[in-house]
């Protein structure tokens, strides 16, 4: 139900779902919802249970970040997502015109942190 509301929401700008024990299936649904949401600017998903989320969830987040034109802040800290997530999200963030802050799950490994830093350093925001 929350995901459907998020898809058609036109008012909510900040959503804090941190520390709610949300699993990776919820992460996938949230990512899909971001594709069509046009009002959310900040999404806090820190310290949930997204660790173990597979490539389908990572693909969904990457796709949604490419299509979303309003999200400015995405926080995924504390989800133990791994270095693949850090690198992939950094590459996607580098192509996103509105995302200015991306905090991905720790520990991400050296490659993930480096990829995130490189991706955010090349952002071209309006």
């Amino acid at each position: 139900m929350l995901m459907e509301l998020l898809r058609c929401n036109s008012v909510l700008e900040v959503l804090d779902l941190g520390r709610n024990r949300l699993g990776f299936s919820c992460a996938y649904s949230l990512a899909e919802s971001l594709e069509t949401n046009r009002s959310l600017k900040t999404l806090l998903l820190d310290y949930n249970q997204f660790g173990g989320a597979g490539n389908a969830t990572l693909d969904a987040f990457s796709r949604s970040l490419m299509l979303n034109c309003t999200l400015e802040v995405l926080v995924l800290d504390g989800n133990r997502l791994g270095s693949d997530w850090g690198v992939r999200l950094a590459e996607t963030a580098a192509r996103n015109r509105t995302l200015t802050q991306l905090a991905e799950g720790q520990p991400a490994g050296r490659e993930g942190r480096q990829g995130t830093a490189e991706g955010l350093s090349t952002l071209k925001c309006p």
Side-chain angles (χ1 to χ4, degrees):
M1 174 151 250
L2 175 63
M3 305 320 159
E4 189 58 39
L5 291 173
L6 188 57
R7 281 184 192 152
C8 54
N9 167 63
S10 62
V11 178
L12 187 68
E13 292 185 359
V14 177
L15 181 59
D16 185 351
L17 293 174
R19 300 180 189 270
N20 276 294
R21 298 183 183 176
L22 302 175
F24 56 84
S25 62
C26 186
Y28 183 85
S29 296
L30 277 166
E32 285 189 324
S33 298
L34 286 176
E35 286 184 28
T36 56
N37 181 282
R38 296 295 177 248
S39 66
L40 198 63
K41 293 182 179 181
T42 301
L43 180 58
L44 307 173
L45 297 171
D46 53 318
Y47 297 96
N48 280 292
Q49 298 175 351
F50 298 162
N55 287 335
T57 303
L58 178 53
D59 290 344
F61 263 103
S62 292
R63 184 176 56 252
S64 69
L65 291 177
M66 290 300 297
L67 296 173
N68 184 289
C69 59
T70 56
L71 193 67
E72 297 171 1
V73 177
L74 175 61
V75 177
L76 293 165
D77 284 335
N79 281 293
R80 298 183 186 157
L81 296 172
S83 61
D84 289 348
W85 275 74
V87 171
R88 179 81 174 277
L89 289 177
E91 291 170 354
T92 303
R95 294 184 204 107
N96 179 294
R97 299 189 64 95
T98 58
L99 194 65
T100 58
Q101 286 184 285
L102 172 63
E104 42 81 21
Q106 297 295 329
R110 196 175 103 211
E111 298 85 9
R113 286 191 298 275
Q114 181 179 357
T116 302
E118 290 169 1
L120 290 178
S121 70
T122 61
L123 284 179
K124 296 175 181 71
C125 301

